[in-house]
């Protein structure tokens, strides 16, 4: 069961420069996206929605986790809990209605953190497990991968890990059906699959066959700490991954954590790395590649120079050959970040993120709000929509499907005044915009 709520609050369109907590230099007018619906979904327990990817007929697949069960309705069957925390996968139609819930896992903790569409209208998912998901657990926390058909049935599942902590955050599917996954390791995962690690904490990219066989594992970084988070495939079959490094990967580290953008060649070897940052933390958490090959990445920076207050949204562009094209920061006087990105065909990018203040002149509901916006390469705001309840609301995945933009995330209360809570500590939410 889900509560469908269409907000009457209109997105904010920026046509002239304005002075707000999120200053904008835009002089470009673009049609604002229209919010179609906002849905809050959950069980009686804690529910989190993190990844979203397109499916046929305007549907989307949404991935996350739950510690309870989905109750059956007239439209779909219910699910059963497997353990402490379960992987959760939802197929949702163009009207925001749940069609297929899928819940699976071990007797321990299992969660999905990302998803990618497969050629047969199914979905590949990535996450982690503390149990024996596909084999004996390699350590404390293993990376898990699964492929699911269009009707929610499992095709195959796999488990990768080292002797310590490993977690998969992002997944992409190539035209030949190969599955690429990315995340981080505390060490040892590459050695278990014929590779070599770089230090105690590495960024990880792995390639699996269309049937789930692990083909290679690349553990990349320095002898210091790296954290891999989001990946995407480029037109040449390479894999681009973003995250942060505390080492000197491509030049001297500027501060506590520097951001990185790295390309892994089709054979699993490291091609190039872009490293940058401030004297404090800089972390890229989202990634997308435009049709022209431009790499867009987003996250946050806490650096003092140019700070708007707290940590700011951070937007980075890199060329297909590893040249840094631009950096931009924007936000409010609080803590802000970008997580999801969808490039446009004309050089802009849609983003989803979280803010702790008024963004682009919109009302701030309190604590953390959701922002969905269209940005220029320089961080100028073309239009934006800010919403949330009185408590914490976070945005995560963002996807484009059939002329619409779908964002998902988590709320600790009511995401919108017209939504209904499911009574658990956290619920998922999803929102649709007509572009």
């Amino acid at each position: 069961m889900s509560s469908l709520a269409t907000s009457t609050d209109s997105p904010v369109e920026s046509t002239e420069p304005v002075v707000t907590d999120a200053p904008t230099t835009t002089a470009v007018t673009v049609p604002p996206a229209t919010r179609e619906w906002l849905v809050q979904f959950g069980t009686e327990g804690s529910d989190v929605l993190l990844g979203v990817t397109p499916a046929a007929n305007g549907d989307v697949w949404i991935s996350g986790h739950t510690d309870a069960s989905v109750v059956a309705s007239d439209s779909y069957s219910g699910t059963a809990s497997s353990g402490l925390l379960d992987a959760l996968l939802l197929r949702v139609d163009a009207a925001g209605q749940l069609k297929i819930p899928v819940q699976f896992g071990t007797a321990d903790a299992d969660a999905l953190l990302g998803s990618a569409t497969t050629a047969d209208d199914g979905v590949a998912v990535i996450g982690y497990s503390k149990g024996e998901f596909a084999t004996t657990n390699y350590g404390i926390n293993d990376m898990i991968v699964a492929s699911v058909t269009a009707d929610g049935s499992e095709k195959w599942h796999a488990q990768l890990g080292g002797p310590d902590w490993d977690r998969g955050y992002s997944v992409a599917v190539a035209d030949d059906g190969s599955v690429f996954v990315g995340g981080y390791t505390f060490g040892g995962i590459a050695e278990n699959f014929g590779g070599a690690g770089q230090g105690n904490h590495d960024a990880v990219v792995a390639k699996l066959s269309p049937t789930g066989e692990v083909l290679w594992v690349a553990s990349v970084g320095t002898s210091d700490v790296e954290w891999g988070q989001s990946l995407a495939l480029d037109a040449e079959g390479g894999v681009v991954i973003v995250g942060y490094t505390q080492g000197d990967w491509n030049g001297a580290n500027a501060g506590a954590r520097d951001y990185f953008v790295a390309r892994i060649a089709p054979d699993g070897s490291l091609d190039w790395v872009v490293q940058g940052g401030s004297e404090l933390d800089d972390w890229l958490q989202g990634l997308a590649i435009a049709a022209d090959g431009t790499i867009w990445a987003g996250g946050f920076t806490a650096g003092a120079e140019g700070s708007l207050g707290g940590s700011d949204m951070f937007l980075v562009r890199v060329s297909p050959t590893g040249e840094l094209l631009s950096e931009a920061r924007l936000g409010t006087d609080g803590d802000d970040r970008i997580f999801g990105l969808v490039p446009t065909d004309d050089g802009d990018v849609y983003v989803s993120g979280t803010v702790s203040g008024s963004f682009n002149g919109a009302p701030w509901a309190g604590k953390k709000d959701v922002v969905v916006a269209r940005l220029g390469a320089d961080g100028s705001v073309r239009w934006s929509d800010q919403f949330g309840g009185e408590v914490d609301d976070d945005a995560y995945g963002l996807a484009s499907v059939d002329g619409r933009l779908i964002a998902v995330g988590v709320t600790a209360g009511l995401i919108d005044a017209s939504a209904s809570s499911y009574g658990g500590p956290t619920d998922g939410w999803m929102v649709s915009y007509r572009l």
Side-chain angles (χ1 to χ4, degrees):
M1 296 179 294
S2 57
S3 173
L4 182 63
T6 303
S7 173
T8 57
D9 293 333
S10 299
V12 177
E13 181 181 5
S14 297
T15 56
E16 297 293 338
V18 294
V19 179
T20 70
D21 285 334
T24 174
T25 58
T26 185
V28 177
T29 301
V30 298
T34 302
R35 193 198 298 178
E36 295 183 310
W37 46 258
L38 175 62
V39 174
Q40 184 163 335
F41 168 86
T43 69
E44 62 182 6
S46 295
D47 309 288
V48 173
L49 300 182
L50 297 170
V52 58
T53 191
N57 303 316
D59 294 355
V60 290
W61 288 104
I62 299 173
S63 55
H65 52 80
T66 181
D67 63 4
S69 301
V70 179
V71 177
S73 78
D74 293 338
S75 304
Y76 53 82
S77 301
T79 63
S81 176
S82 300
L84 299 176
L85 186 70
D86 285 352
L88 181 66
L89 182 62
L90 309 176
R91 184 163 182 145
V92 176
D93 69 16
Q97 300 300 312
L98 178 60
K99 294 173 65 175
I100 303 172
V102 182
Q103 185 171 344
F104 56 89
T106 69
D108 288 289
D110 311 276
L112 299 181
L113 306 180
S115 53
T117 311
T118 58
D120 58 359
D121 193 32
V123 62
V125 292
I126 181 72
Y128 69 88
S129 175
K130 292 187 177 183
E132 297 182 355
F133 183 74
T135 185
T136 302
N137 194 287
Y138 288 93
I140 300 173
N141 206 69
D142 285 354
M143 186 182 298
I144 60 171
V145 193
S147 181
V148 175
T149 65
D151 65 1
S153 303
E154 180 190 303
K155 289 177 66 176
W156 54 259
H157 58 283
Q159 185 166 347
L160 304 80
D164 211 314
W165 283 79
D166 308 280
R167 184 166 292 194
Y169 275 102
S170 187
V171 58
V173 179
D175 290 341
D176 66 358
S178 299
V179 177
F180 294 83
V181 296
Y184 74 86
T185 179
F186 279 17
I189 188 172
E191 290 85 340
N192 283 339
F193 294 91
Q198 307 302 316
N200 289 328
H201 301 74
D202 292 343
V204 173
V205 173
K207 180 180 181 180
L208 287 77
S209 75
T211 57
E213 176 189 2
V214 179
L215 301 178
W216 51 256
V217 177
S219 191
V220 296
T222 70
S223 59
D224 215 306
V225 174
E226 279 74 40
W227 184 294
Q229 186 130 1
S230 185
L231 63 70
L233 300 179
D234 64 22
E236 287 72 42
V239 184
V240 179
I241 186 169
V242 301
Y244 74 77
T245 177
Q246 292 181 232
D248 302 331
W249 201 355
N250 187 16
N253 190 289
R257 295 171 176 166
D258 281 4
Y259 75 79
F260 76 80
V261 182
R263 183 182 189 268
I264 310 300
D267 64 357
S269 60
L270 180 64
D271 188 6
W272 51 256
V273 178
V274 174
Q275 178 177 348
S278 65
E279 78 285 3
L280 297 175
D281 284 344
D282 307 275
W283 187 347
L284 295 179
Q285 298 179 299
L287 170 69
I289 299 179
D292 65 359
T294 300
I295 298 161
W296 292 83
F300 69 86
T301 177
E305 184 177 354
S307 175
L308 301 172
S311 59
D312 294 336
M313 290 179 166
F314 195 49
L315 186 65
V316 174
R317 289 189 312 136
V318 175
S319 77
T321 56
E323 176 189 2
L324 179 63
L325 300 177
S326 64
E327 298 176 337
R329 62 191 302 166
L330 66 155
T332 73
D333 58 2
D335 290 326
D336 315 301
R337 67 168 176 83
I338 293 171
F339 197 95
L341 301 96
V342 173
T344 69
D345 293 332
D346 56 0
D348 285 353
V349 65
Y350 297 107
V351 302
S352 60
T354 303
V355 298
S356 298
S358 171
F359 183 85
N360 199 33
W364 174 36
K367 292 198 174 179
K368 292 193 290 183
D369 281 2
V370 172
V371 163
V372 180
R374 177 169 173 158
L375 306 178
D378 61 353
S380 55
V381 183
R382 311 298 195 207
W383 65 259
S384 62
D385 187 23
Q386 179 172 347
F387 60 90
E390 297 179 351
V391 292
D392 287 344
D393 306 291
D394 286 289
Y396 291 102
L398 185 68
S400 176
V401 53
D402 292 351
R404 293 157 45 236
L405 199 64
I406 308 293
V408 301
V410 184
T411 179
L414 290 177
I415 189 64
D416 183 84
S418 55
S420 61
S421 174
Y422 282 79
T426 61
D427 284 352
W429 58 261
M430 28 194 162
V431 65
S432 175
Y433 297 89
R434 175 62 59 180
L435 300 179

